[in-house]
Amino acid sequence: MKTEIQKICDILTHSFKKNAWHGPAVLEVLSDIDENIVDNKINTTHSILELVGHMTAWKTFVTEKLQGNESFDVSEEMNFPTSKSLSEAVNSLRKSQEKLLQSLKQFPAERLTEVVPNRPYKFFTMIHGVIHHDLYHLGQIVLIKRIHE
């Protein structure tokens, strides 16, 4: 029987790589985006590049919190960073996913019900939240992709 941490890792992995319940996973959507549209926006939205960087920043935030860095926060500069290329941004996103999974696998399951220091929510909520966060922004990326292709 899988532990709660293993179950969360499975959801995090499937929603990021493949076999996600909802449809295409993050990397599946990002795998065939035309580099010519990565800076495009819909009205005042963020671009695909900005959204990928934003997703990376919040995965880093969760990783830092899991590792006990109570003072870490996402700076304005980190929140929607600029990147030179989609491949560079996706590579950073992949690395942040790997670090998150490594940290999560080492996180004691009994701490999932503890409140994250300096935040109004528990570790369980934060970890599931980063999955939801990815999928929320993935929907935006899909819309931008469809409108500009």
Side-chain angles (χ1 to χ4, degrees), residues 67-126:
Q67 292 176 349
N69 188 345
E70 294 183 14
S71 63
F72 184 86
D73 211 343
V74 173
S75 68
E76 192 67 33
E77 183 180 290
M78 285 178 64
N79 202 23
F80 287 99
T82 56
S83 182
K84 294 179 182 146
S85 73
L86 183 61
S87 61
E88 178 184 291
V90 171
N91 188 43
S92 293
L93 183 63
R94 282 180 194 267
K95 288 178 182 176
S96 69
Q97 171 81 359
E98 290 167 12
K99 289 178 184 175
L100 174 56
L101 282 168
Q102 289 169 357
S103 296
L104 184 55
K105 288 174 184 174
Q106 296 173 1
F107 192 76
E110 59 272 8
R111 292 198 57 212
L112 289 171
T113 57
E114 290 180 18
V115 174
V116 177
N118 304 314
R119 297 291 168 164
Y121 43 78
K122 296 177 181 179
F123 282 99
F124 180 88
T125 302
M126 178 183 68

Side-chain angles (χ1 to χ4, degrees), residues 5-140:
I5 295 288
Q6 290 169 328
K7 291 175 189 176
I8 296 169
C9 285
D10 285 350
I11 294 168
L12 188 58
T13 298
H14 289 299
S15 66
F16 191 75
K17 286 186 174 180
K18 63 180 180 177
N19 300 324
W21 173 86
H22 68 272
V26 172
L27 291 181
E28 291 173 316
V29 169
L30 296 176
S31 70
D32 66 349
I33 292 178
D34 182 342
E35 277 282 347
N36 294 318
I37 69 163
V38 297
D39 290 314
N40 293 0
K41 300 177 180 188
I42 302 171
N43 297 325
T44 60
T45 65
H46 291 282
S47 70
I48 291 171
L49 275 182
E50 290 171 331
L51 291 168
V52 172
H54 177 72
M55 291 161 65
T56 301
W58 286 97
K59 282 183 184 290
T60 301
F61 171 84
V62 173
T63 299
E64 290 291 329
K65 294 303 179 184
L66 290 173
Q67 292 176 349
N69 188 345
E70 294 183 14
S71 63
F72 184 86
D73 211 343
V74 173
S75 68
E76 192 67 33
E77 183 180 290
M78 285 178 64
N79 202 23
F80 287 99
T82 56
S83 182
K84 294 179 182 146
S85 73
L86 183 61
S87 61
E88 178 184 291
V90 171
N91 188 43
S92 293
L93 183 63
R94 282 180 194 267
K95 288 178 182 176
S96 69
Q97 171 81 359
E98 290 167 12
K99 289 178 184 175
L100 174 56
L101 282 168
Q102 289 169 357
S103 296
L104 184 55
K105 288 174 184 174
Q106 296 173 1
F107 192 76
E110 59 272 8
R111 292 198 57 212
L112 289 171
T113 57
E114 290 180 18
V115 174
V116 177
N118 304 314
R119 297 291 168 164
Y121 43 78
K122 296 177 181 179
F123 282 99
F124 180 88
T125 302
M126 178 183 68
I127 296 163
H128 280 278
V130 79
I131 298 167
H132 301 168
H133 182 259
D134 273 1
L135 300 179
Y136 170 77
H137 290 302
L138 187 63
Q140 293 173 318

